[in-house]
């Protein structure tokens, strides 16, 4: 069975960024701090600033699901004295560079020291909207419960998402052209991957 997953493409089309209302993107270096842990963005930055100075800069990082949806994950990086930005959090999807869009308004969206996500459909489809609603509900549970979610709640949401997955996969195949990055997340063009 072919799979589809969120991926970080080498480039993001400007039309996709317009749908997300993103205009300013910076490519910043990733230099994980020795005590930093994955996905603990805010605390990693606070610890770094405590040791070396600087300020917190909030913003968004991007992943695409099957050329169907854009996932924006709120992220925190260090703003150094010369106004340059540095990511100090290890990231399994990205080696040494991060595509980042600064957005100070994220501060009012933080709950229980956890950063939010946004899910933006790139096509109009009711099944996709239903699937993304499940993603939004899972993120809301994570934020409201300080990252600790009951396993039964996660199982129920995964069950709902699993029922929709075959339709979403077919949509991804339909909306991924041969010169698009493949929906499977390989970062290869579809014609050289899941053709």
């Amino acid at each position: 069975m072919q799979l589809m997953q969120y991926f970080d493409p080498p480039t993001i089309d400007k039309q996709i960024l317009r749908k997300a209302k993103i205009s300013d993107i910076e490519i910043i270096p990733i230099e994980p701090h020795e005590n930093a842990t994955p996905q603990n963005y805010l605390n990693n930055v606070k610890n770094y600033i405590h040791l070396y100075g600087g300020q917190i800069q909030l913003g968004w990082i991007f992943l695409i699901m099957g050329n169907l949806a854009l996932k924006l994950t709120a992220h925190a990086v260090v703003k150094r004295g010369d106004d340059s930005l540095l990511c100090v959090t290890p990231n399994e999807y990205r080696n040494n560079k991060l595509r980042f869009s600064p957005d100070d308004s994220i501060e009012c969206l933080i709950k229980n020291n956890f950063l939010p996500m946004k899910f933006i459909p790139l096509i109009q489809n009711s099944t996709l909207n239903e699937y993304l609603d499940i993603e939004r509900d899972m993120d809301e549970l994570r934020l409201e419960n300080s990252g600790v979610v009951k396993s039964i709640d996660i199982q129920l949401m995964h069950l709902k998402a699993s029922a929709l997955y075959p339709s979403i996969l077919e949509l991804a195949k339909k909306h991924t052209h041969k010169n698009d990055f493949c929906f499977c997340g390989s970062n290869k063009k579809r014609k050289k991957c899941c053709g």
Side-chain angles (χ1 to χ4, degrees), residues 163-177:
L164 295 173
Y165 185 81
S167 298
I168 298 299
L169 181 58
E170 286 307 310
L171 268 178
K173 290 176 183 178
K174 179 180 173 185
H175 288 276
T176 304
H177 305 292

Side-chain angles (χ1 to χ4, degrees), residues 139-182:
D139 189 51
E140 191 58 33
L141 271 176
R142 178 184 65 87
L143 293 173
E144 292 296 331
N145 294 287
S146 300
V148 180
V149 183
K150 294 178 191 171
S151 63
I152 187 70
D153 291 335
I154 292 173
Q155 288 173 349
L156 287 172
M157 289 189 180
H158 280 296
L159 194 60
K160 289 179 189 176
S162 294
L164 295 173
Y165 185 81
S167 298
I168 298 299
L169 181 58
E170 286 307 310
L171 268 178
K173 290 176 183 178
K174 179 180 173 185
H175 288 276
T176 304
H177 305 292
K178 65 179 183 176
N179 287 317
D180 292 337
F181 292 105
C182 191

